[in-house]
């Protein structure tokens, strides 16, 4: 291999121990080991465990990348040792400094991938590792650790990875920073002669590294003679098929797909080097892996988050001290029917299935019969297969509610593809995070969605909802259109693909993002079918039902319920702009019997109802059931809505993206109390409460005891399957529940009353921990909102946990012109109404709420702001 590195890269130097006092690194773990005539520096907890008479259950073998060293793993070595010394599961952790890196020997020889995998094998032979071994790699160390893994199947127990890659698609270039570093005349200067590559890497932490931590990472690389390994690693990147390390990389990548041991991937999505496309490739090769993406973390994920605690937790879960993976529980619910049975039963019917209402900027409304819908679904299904959409492929749908979205969604489900649906109300930043996180192989969109995908670099083969001029298609990267796929599907004489199994993945539905970054909620076909069943049973939805869906998920479920459906003319990115006239017009089109509106939409529908014509009012007179859910809805607002639909039974069910229908209560069942009454569980649903302790943490064993306030824990046949690529979040949602049963901790707090009704009192993160104990916010907010001058209220806590003071933040009528301390009059009446001791009252022109519901208040941000105001800030 011809060297492109300066002579300093070929300098030799002996291994040495790191200087003492490096932050977070304990010197008792450092030692030097000679293997195959080369001396390594390693961090090794084994001698400490042995000195304390502790026999480890296995070894975690940690391999750093470029340009870090074993210091990257210091927290894992320390936490694992402390856990063992405290009587927990004992894992020996060995973190190596690769040769020519860190404080290991400078060999003066450029080492390719094959040699580095062999070097690691020489070291483990010298250490006498007999298994079980869990490999753990980061960056280029991920490839090397996996090379060792596939070469030592008899020792391998599991593999763990931080941001890395083992495959570069031929259709794309290696990341730009690496292309630059490999540039002619740049490589040596950027990596060896100067510390530019090292300093650039250290700048990738989120938040920025402390100066002393940066200095610790720099410690082994002081001077060009110490940085030859950095340049050697960059030079060894197989940027093309002719590179000396490409055959070894390919061998490892192919062999990894055959690994059947447990695997964990902890990922920082803000990595400009190893983006989510590399995670997606690894997941494709190791589909059984547990994955957690830490939003906000980047390339130096080991510095950005507590990865060590996550890894040790995973090891405990998977091995429980025995180094044997427990048998998986088969927990998927049985599906009483398939999503396609109602469509199939109506395939020859010319009755209306879907109506798409017209808007000013769109063609006239479209009415689709069951016969036409089924024909289009099957033709699109075949066309999608011919376009390369395979079972299990993820397909992001960026299509407004209507006939196109309905047809393509059912076509994707029919062929076993997994639909990815994110609310446009997330905005560009939220949608980017969602789409990149799910990393779909295909993206189907209307022009606004395709334009956003191009602008923000969203992944996937692009398919447009309409045929585009060649220039526009090329500019947007569009490969196919739905009309084209429908046409080639119609010409295809082959039989339809086999029906997906009930346990196959069906959809990833993103939450609203109102309580943190939007989460991908994964459903199987069985679980979606169970959602349809509970809706049909609870509200008597069937073939004679006409649904007006002001909330897109329910419009999409219409065909699977066998009901005709329509989405009113609305801006899906801003539901609170929906008008009463638009709802009434939609109801008239399908002779609606059921209307579903989000709380955000409902308020404006009521507010714009005065101008309804007699004909529009007659359409609403025929509605039999009215639903509003997704966030608490006041009795006063439901009463106003009922006056618009006088024959309807008004309901406000409780549910969430993770389980769309858990409890139900009608208007006449609502009454004042400590929180919002959301009624009794629907068929098949079980509700338990995990009691809060004084610190506001849900530590109690889930029970159905009346009058106990705590986190709401639920189980149901239509409960979601898991959070997508959020293993830690998914694990936390199932904490402390009955083994072998599917339960979910909702993050909501509330209580059950003596009649078995559920009352919601707020969100777990919004519980206020006062000196007197934990206080939930909703009851106090309701009492404050009874004050005539108050439009909406939020009760938050300021100060340290356990001694927080209660602050009320209110919207008033007339509206405040700016935010700040309330005047004496409003402050006095709010304090009197609150029913709790209120330290301060603040007024704001408008409380911060989410877009989807226009009612979920960001109390965490509000509490931080209130604390700053009370401390003298703006």
């Amino acid at each position: 291999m011809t060297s492109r590195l300066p002579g300093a890269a070929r300098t030799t130097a002996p291994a040495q121990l790191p200087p003492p006092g490096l932050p977070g690194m304990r010197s008792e773990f450092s030692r030097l080991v000679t293997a195959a005539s080369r001396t390594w520096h390693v961090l090794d907890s084994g001698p400490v465990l042995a000195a304390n008479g502790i026999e480890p259950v296995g070894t975690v073998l940690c391999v750093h990348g470029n340009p870090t060293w074993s210091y990257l793993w210091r927290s894992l070595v320390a936490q694992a040792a402390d856990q063992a010394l405290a009587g927990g599961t004992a894992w020996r952790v060995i973190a190596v400094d690769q040769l020519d890196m860190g404080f290991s020997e400078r060999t003066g020889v450029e080492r390719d991938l094959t040699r580095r995998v062999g070097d690691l094998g020489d070291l483990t032979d010298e250490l006498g590792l007999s298994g079980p071994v869990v490999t753990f790699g980061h960056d280029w160390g991920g490839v090397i650790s996996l090379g060792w893994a596939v070469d030592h199947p008899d020792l391998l127990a599991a593999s763990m990875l931080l941001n890395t890659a083992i495959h570069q698609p031929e259709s794309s270039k290696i990341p730009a920073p690496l292309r630059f570093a490999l540039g002619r005349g740049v490589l040596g200067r950027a990596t060896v002669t100067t510390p530019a590559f090292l300093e650039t890497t250290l700048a990738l932490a989120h938040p920025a590294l402390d100066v002393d931590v940066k200095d610790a990472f720099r410690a082994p690389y002081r001077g060009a003679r110490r940085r030859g390994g950095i340049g050697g690693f960059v030079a060894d990147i197989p940027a093309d098929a002719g590179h000396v390390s490409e055959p070894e990389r390919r061998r490892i990548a192919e062999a990894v797909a055959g690994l059947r041991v447990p695997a964990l991937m902890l990922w920082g999505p803000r990595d400009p080097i190893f983006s989510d496309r590399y995670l997606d490739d690894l997941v494709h090769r190791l589909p059984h892996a547990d994955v957690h993406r830490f939003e906000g973390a980047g390339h130096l994920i080991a510095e950005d988050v507590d990865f060590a605690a996550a890894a040790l937790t995973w090891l405990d879960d998977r091995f429980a001290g025995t180094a044997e993976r427990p048998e998986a529980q088969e927990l998927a619910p049985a599906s009483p029917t398939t999503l396609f049975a109602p469509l199939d039963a109506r395939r020859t019917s010319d009755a209306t299935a879907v109506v798409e209402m017209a808007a000013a900027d769109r063609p006239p409304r479209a009415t689709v019969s069951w016969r036409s819908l089924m024909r289009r679904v099957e033709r699109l299904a075949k066309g999608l297969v011919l376009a390369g959409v395979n079972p299990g492929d993820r397909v992001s749908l960026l299509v407004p509610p209507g006939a196109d979205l309905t047809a393509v969604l059912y076509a994707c489900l029919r062929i076993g593809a997994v639909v990815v649906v994110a609310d446009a109300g997330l905005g560009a930043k939220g949608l980017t995070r969602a789409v990149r996180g799910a990393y779909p192989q295909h993206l189907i969109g209307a022009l606004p969605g395709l334009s956003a995908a191009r602008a923000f670099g969203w992944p996937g083969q692009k398919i447009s909802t309409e045929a585009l001029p060649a220039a526009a298609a090329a500019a947007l990267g569009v490969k196919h259109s739905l009309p084209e796929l429908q046409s080639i599907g119609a010409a295809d004489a082959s039989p339809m693909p086999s029906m997906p199994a009930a346990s196959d993945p069906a959809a990833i539905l993103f939450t609203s993002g109102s309580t943190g970054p939007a989460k991908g909620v994964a459903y199987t076909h069985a679980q979606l079918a169970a959602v349809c069943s509970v809706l049909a049973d609870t509200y008597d939805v069937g073939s004679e039902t006409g649904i007006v869906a002001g909330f897109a998920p329910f419009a999409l479920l219409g065909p699977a319920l066998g009901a005709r459906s329509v989405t009113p003319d609305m801006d899906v990115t801003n539901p609170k702009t929906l008008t009463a006239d638009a709802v009434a017009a939609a109801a008239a089109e399908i002779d609606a019997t059921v209307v579903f509106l989000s709380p955000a939409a409902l308020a404006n529908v009521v507010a714009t109802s005065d101008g309804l014509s007699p004909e529009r009012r007659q359409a609403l007179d025929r509605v039999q059931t009215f639903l509003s859910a997704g966030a608490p809805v006041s009795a006063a607002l439901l009463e106003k809505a009922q006056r618009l639909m006088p024959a309807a039974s008004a309901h406000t069910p409780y549910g969430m993206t993770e389980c769309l229908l858990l409890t139900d209560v009608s208007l006449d069942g609502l009454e004042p109390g400590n929180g919002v009454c959301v009624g009794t569980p629907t068929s098949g649903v079980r509700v338990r409460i995990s009691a809060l302790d004084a610190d506001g943490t849900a530590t109690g064993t889930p029970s159905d005891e009346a009058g106990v306030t705590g986190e709401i824990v639920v189980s149901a046949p239509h409960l979601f399957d898991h959070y997508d690529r959020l293993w830690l979040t998914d694990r936390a949602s199932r904490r402390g529940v009955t083994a072998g049963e599917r339960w979910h901790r909702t993050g909501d707090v509330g209580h059950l009353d003596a009649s078995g009704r559920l009352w919601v009192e707020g969100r777990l993160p919004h519980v206020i921990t006062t000196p007197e104990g934990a206080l939930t916010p909703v009851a106090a907010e309701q009492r404050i909102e009874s004050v005539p001058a108050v439009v909406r209220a939020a009760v938050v806590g300021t100060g340290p946990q356990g001694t927080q003071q209660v602050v009320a933040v209110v919207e008033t009528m007339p509206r405040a012109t700016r935010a700040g301390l309330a005047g004496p009059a409003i402050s006095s009446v709010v304090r009197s109404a609150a029913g709790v001791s209120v330290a301060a009252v603040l007024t704001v022109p408008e409380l911060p709420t989410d877009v989807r519901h226009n009612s979920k208040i960001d109390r965490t941000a509000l509490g931080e702001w209130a604390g700053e105001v009370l401390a003298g800030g703006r």
Side-chain angles (χ1 to χ4, degrees):
M1 180 168 63
T2 302
S3 177
R4 296 166 53 198
L5 299 174
R10 293 184 289 280
T11 301
T12 61
Q16 63 188 78
L17 293 174
L22 297 181
M25 194 172 105
R26 286 152 47 179
S27 59
E28 66 262 34
F29 298 130
S30 274
R31 69 184 183 115
L32 301 180
V33 180
T34 299
S37 303
R38 299 296 188 185
T39 304
W40 302 59
H41 166 254
V42 300
L43 298 180
D44 184 0
S45 64
V48 172
L49 299 183
N52 286 272
I54 298 172
E55 182 69 25
V57 300
T59 300
V60 181
L61 179 63
C62 303
V63 189
H64 68 84
N66 188 31
T68 57
W69 56 289
S70 59
Y71 184 72
L72 184 83
W73 307 101
R74 65 196 181 280
S75 62
L76 178 62
V77 181
Q79 287 187 36
D82 291 344
Q83 174 178 285
L85 293 171
T89 306
W91 287 92
R92 179 186 184 184
V93 180
I94 300 173
V96 306
D97 282 2
Q98 298 199 58
L99 293 176
D100 299 310
M101 300 292 287
F103 288 95
S104 285
E105 180 179 339
R106 296 304 188 261
T107 68
V109 177
E110 290 187 41
R111 317 186 81 78
D112 61 19
L113 179 57
T114 302
R115 177 172 285 189
R116 288 202 173 276
V117 173
D119 288 340
L120 188 59
D122 291 340
L123 176 64
T124 58
D125 288 346
E126 179 64 31
L127 290 169
L129 295 191
S130 58
V133 176
V134 177
T135 59
F136 206 168
H138 173 247
D139 188 85
W140 202 228
V143 186
I144 295 167
S145 72
L146 289 171
W148 187 96
V150 300
D151 289 345
H152 296 80
D154 53 329
L155 301 181
L156 186 68
S159 285
M160 301 191 290
L161 296 168
L162 304 180
N163 290 45
T164 187
I166 59 170
H167 174 67
Q168 179 65 42
E170 294 180 2
S171 60
S172 61
K173 298 178 181 178
I174 65 171
L178 298 182
R179 292 203 305 274
F180 175 77
L182 283 166
R184 185 174 298 278
V186 175
L187 176 60
R189 290 200 299 271
T191 61
V192 180
T193 307
T194 73
F197 189 85
L198 171 63
E199 295 300 326
T200 299
T201 302
L202 296 181
L204 296 178
H206 306 286
L209 297 177
D210 292 339
V211 173
D212 58 347
V213 173
K214 279 189 176 182
D215 283 342
F217 276 111
R218 294 173 179 135
Y221 303 119
R222 301 287 186 185
R225 291 177 178 272
R226 300 285 300 172
R227 291 195 289 266
I230 295 177
F233 256 119
V234 175
D236 193 42
I237 296 171
D240 55 62
H243 193 282
V244 64
S245 286
E246 175 59 14
E248 176 71 351
R249 183 213 59 78
R250 188 181 304 113
R251 179 188 76 86
I252 295 169
E254 292 172 356
V256 163
L259 291 179
R260 294 295 179 263
V261 296
L264 173 68
M265 301 173 196
L266 304 176
W267 209 263
R270 291 180 67 180
D271 190 342
I273 310 299
F274 300 118
S275 63
D276 279 303
R277 70 175 175 179
Y278 297 107
L279 172 63
D280 193 63
D281 173 72
L282 285 163
V283 170
H284 177 73
R285 295 171 193 275
L286 297 169
H288 61 281
D290 293 312
V291 179
H292 190 90
R293 296 173 71 258
F294 290 90
E295 286 294 345
H299 182 72
L300 289 179
I301 182 174
E303 301 299 318
D304 296 346
V305 301
D306 189 0
F307 84 100
L312 291 171
T313 297
W314 183 81
L315 289 170
D316 266 357
D317 284 356
R318 289 294 171 268
F319 300 105
T322 65
E324 293 180 3
R325 185 166 190 174
E327 292 297 319
Q329 299 270 350
E330 186 62 51
L331 301 176
S335 176
T337 183
T338 74
L339 292 168
F340 303 96
L343 281 80
D344 195 49
R346 292 162 178 77
R347 66 168 51 246
T348 61
S349 172
D350 292 317
T352 297
V354 178
V355 174
E356 181 176 327
M357 299 301 291
D361 60 345
R362 294 206 304 267
R365 66 171 177 78
T367 300
V368 181
S369 69
W370 290 101
R371 184 196 302 271
S372 297
L373 177 61
M374 193 61 173
R375 182 170 59 241
R376 190 177 185 201
V377 165
E378 291 185 338
R379 288 176 176 176
L380 279 175
K382 289 185 176 182
L384 287 167
V385 170
L386 294 171
V389 182
N390 299 310
D393 280 5
R394 295 183 172 195
V395 182
S396 178
L397 301 182
L398 301 175
V399 185
D404 282 341
L405 179 58
T406 301
V408 77
L409 178 132
Y410 281 91
C412 288
L413 293 175
R414 177 62 184 81
I415 62 175
V418 181
V419 296
V420 178
V421 181
D423 196 324
L426 290 174
K429 183 177 180 181
L431 276 173
T432 297
R433 188 162 47 210
V435 175
R436 285 183 179 169
Y439 214 85
Q441 286 81 21
H442 314 275
L443 186 151
I444 302 175
L447 276 174
L450 293 171
S451 299
R454 183 69 170 182
F456 298 109
W458 296 345
Q461 172 186 232
K462 307 302 187 293
I463 300 171
S464 60
T465 55
E466 58 185 294
L468 300 176
L476 293 172
V478 171
K479 300 295 184 184
H480 303 283
S481 70
L482 292 186
E484 172 201 348
L485 297 185
Q486 190 170 338
S487 177
I488 63 175
D492 181 27
S494 63
M496 285 290 293
S498 59
M499 192 75 73
S503 59
D504 284 348
I508 298 171
L509 311 178
F510 276 85
T511 61
S512 67
S514 59
T515 56
K519 299 183 287 291
V521 177
Y523 277 88
T524 65
H525 280 264
Q527 289 154 353
L528 285 184
V531 171
C532 294
S533 294
V534 74
L535 281 169
D537 293 344
T538 304
Y539 301 114
D540 195 25
V541 176
S543 60
E544 300 303 313
T545 306
I547 301 175
V548 175
F551 184 51
F554 282 83
L556 297 174
L557 290 174
L561 290 164
R564 60 190 183 277
S565 60
V566 59
T567 299
D569 174 27
M570 62 185 294
D571 179 0
V572 294
T573 68
N574 194 5
K576 66 182 179 181
T577 60
L578 179 62
T579 65
D581 189 72
V583 172
E589 280 296 332
I590 62 166
D591 193 19
T593 56
V594 175
V595 172
F596 187 102
L597 302 177
S598 71
L602 179 59
N604 197 58
V605 167
V606 168
T608 57
S609 61
D610 289 344
L612 285 175
S613 67
E615 292 78 15
R616 294 285 199 252
R617 290 189 180 276
Q618 287 176 6
L620 294 178
D621 287 345
R622 294 190 290 272
V623 174
Q624 299 168 11
T625 304
F626 164 70
L627 313 172
S628 186
V633 183
S634 69
L637 183 57
L638 277 181
E639 287 171 354
K640 292 176 182 177
Q642 174 119 56
R643 287 197 285 273
L644 273 178
M645 294 168 272
S649 173
H651 294 255
T652 175
Y654 167 67
M656 57 209 66
T657 310
E658 294 87 343
C659 200
L660 288 177
L661 184 59
L662 288 166
T663 69
D664 179 67
V665 64
S666 60
L667 176 58
D668 56 12
L670 293 177
E671 60 183 65
N674 184 23
V676 176
C677 179
V678 294
T680 55
T682 56
S683 175
V685 173
R686 291 178 289 170
V687 177
R688 301 290 184 266
I689 303 296
S690 175
L692 301 179
D693 60 19
D695 295 326
T697 304
T699 56
T701 301
S703 77
D704 57 2
E705 182 180 351
V708 175
T709 292
E711 184 176 14
I712 299 168
V713 186
V714 299
S715 178
H718 57 291
L719 186 64
F720 77 118
D721 194 68
H722 63 276
Y723 286 119
D724 184 52
R725 299 182 181 179
L726 289 170
W727 166 73
L728 279 170
T729 306
D730 200 62
R731 181 183 185 277
S733 80
R734 301 167 195 271
R735 173 180 56 85
V737 299
T738 305
E741 294 187 356
R742 296 181 62 253
W743 288 86
H744 170 61
R745 288 180 173 268
T746 65
D748 290 334
V749 289
H751 68 276
L752 293 165
D753 65 17
S755 299
R757 296 178 301 178
L758 178 64
W759 295 72
V760 178
E761 302 178 44
R763 291 284 297 167
L764 192 59
H766 303 155
V767 172
I768 303 165
T769 55
T770 72
E772 291 75 34
L775 174 71
T776 55
V778 169
E781 291 170 352
Q782 289 178 317
R783 292 190 288 268
I784 292 170
E785 288 171 352
S786 69
V787 174
V790 174
V791 175
R792 187 158 48 178
V795 169
V796 298
T798 62
Q801 289 289 317
T803 61
Q804 288 187 318
Q805 301 298 304
V806 176
V807 176
V809 187
V810 298
E811 288 181 27
T812 58
M813 184 60 69
R815 176 178 292 192
T817 56
R818 61 189 180 91
L821 287 168
I826 190 68
S827 182
S828 176
V829 293
V830 166
R831 280 190 167 98
S832 297
V836 297
S837 178
V838 175
V841 179
L842 304 176
T843 56
V844 293
E846 188 173 28
L847 286 166
T849 60
D850 66 303
V851 172
R852 181 187 290 182
H853 307 102
N854 192 33
S855 58
K856 290 188 176 180
I857 298 168
D858 189 347
R859 293 180 181 84
T860 301
L862 202 60
E864 293 172 356
W865 169 78
E868 292 172 2
V869 170
L870 297 178
R874 292 184 62 185

